[in-house]
Amino acid sequence: MNPILLIPSDMPGAEIASNMAAAAAEPEKLSILKLAMEGGWIMIVLAALLVLALYVTIERWLTISKAVKTGVDDEFMGKIRKAIHEGNVDEAKKLAQKTNTPIAHMIGKGLSRLGRPLPDIQAAIENVGRLEVAELEKRVSLVATVASLGPMIGFLGTVTGMVQAFFDMANAGNNIEISILAGGIYEAMVTTVGGLIVGIICYFLYNILVSRINKVVNGLEVRAAEFMDLLHEPA
């Protein structure tokens, strides 16, 4: 629907006609929402996958950020070092038990193995470290899966859209018009763009999570080495 023109009474007739023609010729603006709706059911699938990936990213980000923060916390290791130097191993064990962080879980396992050969203690710590990293990586692969599926589903929409366009063209017979093909072509192009957008966003999110996990892994390795050095120190 064209906007209603408010025409002053003293406006010349030629100018009035020119303004009315310009208003009639003004093209309809296509919003992003309307453009997405032209993609059909494929766009609903892509939107659902994107929401799922965002949810997993936010949930994992909060968990991983907590692990990163505790990984650089020197206060915990300082208390552990002080307790061991004072010969108060039970106090160190209690501290590790009441601290719910990957670092504390590793140190707690090492403390529970005191009295055994150092290689056994180190192996126990490394096993716990691997379990902690696996816990942090939980569901992160889902974001990578969405990053791969997005463009593929978008390409599926491209194929179905072109099939629809050719189907409409075949049924039109000799009365082929651009408007007949528009629906299928819209679906084909819009789903391609939508799939690529979802894939790019999720690939970016996945790499952010991986980089944060790698930071945690580095922190665990540093703390494990620090604990083993502590055990090697003279009593």
Side-chain angles (χ1 to χ4, degrees), residues 134-157:
E135 185 68 22
L136 293 176
E137 291 176 341
K138 187 186 298 183
R139 293 184 293 276
V140 172
S141 60
L142 184 60
V143 180
T145 301
V146 174
S148 300
L149 279 179
M152 295 175 65
I153 294 177
F155 181 69
L156 174 63

Side-chain angles (χ1 to χ4, degrees), residues 179-199:
S179 59
I180 297 176
L181 306 177
I185 296 176
Y186 258 132
E187 180 179 342
M189 297 297 101
V190 170
T191 54
T192 300
V193 174
L196 290 174
I197 290 175
V198 171

Side-chain angles (χ1 to χ4, degrees), residues 4 8 10 24 44 47 50-51 55 61 63 69-70 75 98 103 112 114 116 125 128 146 157 173 188 201-202:
I4 300 176
D10 58 346
I44 298 177
L50 181 59
V51 170
Y55 169 78
W61 175 270
T63 302
K69 183 178 179 180
T70 56
E75 182 179 357
K98 71 179 183 181
I103 298 294
S112 68
L114 288 180
R116 297 187 180 184
I125 292 176
V128 173
V146 174
I201 292 175
C202 292

Side-chain angles (χ1 to χ4, degrees), residues 76-231:
F76 172 77
M77 288 303 299
K79 291 180 180 180
I80 293 292
R81 179 183 294 275
K82 180 180 178 182
I84 292 178
H85 281 169
E86 294 175 352
N88 196 349
V89 178
D90 290 337
E91 181 64 26
K93 290 180 179 180
K94 291 179 182 179
L95 177 61
Q97 289 174 356
K98 71 179 183 181
T99 306
N100 186 23
T101 63
I103 298 294
H105 297 162
M106 289 176 55
I107 301 303
K109 177 60 71 173
L111 291 171
S112 68
R113 294 293 189 271
L114 288 180
R116 297 187 180 184
L118 292 179
D120 292 348
I121 298 176
Q122 184 170 1
I125 292 176
E126 290 175 352
N127 289 336
V128 173
R130 281 191 288 267
L131 292 176
E132 292 295 331
V133 173
E135 185 68 22
L136 293 176
E137 291 176 341
K138 187 186 298 183
R139 293 184 293 276
V140 172
S141 60
L142 184 60
V143 180
T145 301
V146 174
S148 300
L149 279 179
M152 295 175 65
I153 294 177
F155 181 69
L156 174 63
T158 303
V159 174
T160 57
M162 295 308 297
V163 169
Q164 183 65 45
F166 280 108
F167 178 79
D168 295 338
M169 185 172 60
N171 289 337
N174 295 327
N175 299 321
I176 299 177
E177 297 180 359
I178 295 297
S179 59
I180 297 176
L181 306 177
I185 296 176
Y186 258 132
E187 180 179 342
M189 297 297 101
V190 170
T191 54
T192 300
V193 174
L196 290 174
I197 290 175
V198 171
I200 292 171
I201 292 175
C202 292
Y203 182 74
F204 177 72
L205 296 177
Y206 172 74
N207 280 281
I208 289 179
L209 293 178
V210 169
S211 65
R212 298 288 287 178
I213 292 175
N214 289 336
K215 188 173 182 179
V216 175
V217 171
N218 293 334
L220 293 177
E221 291 176 349
V222 170
R223 294 308 185 187
E226 183 179 348
F227 179 73
M228 295 305 300
D229 290 341
L230 177 60
L231 298 183

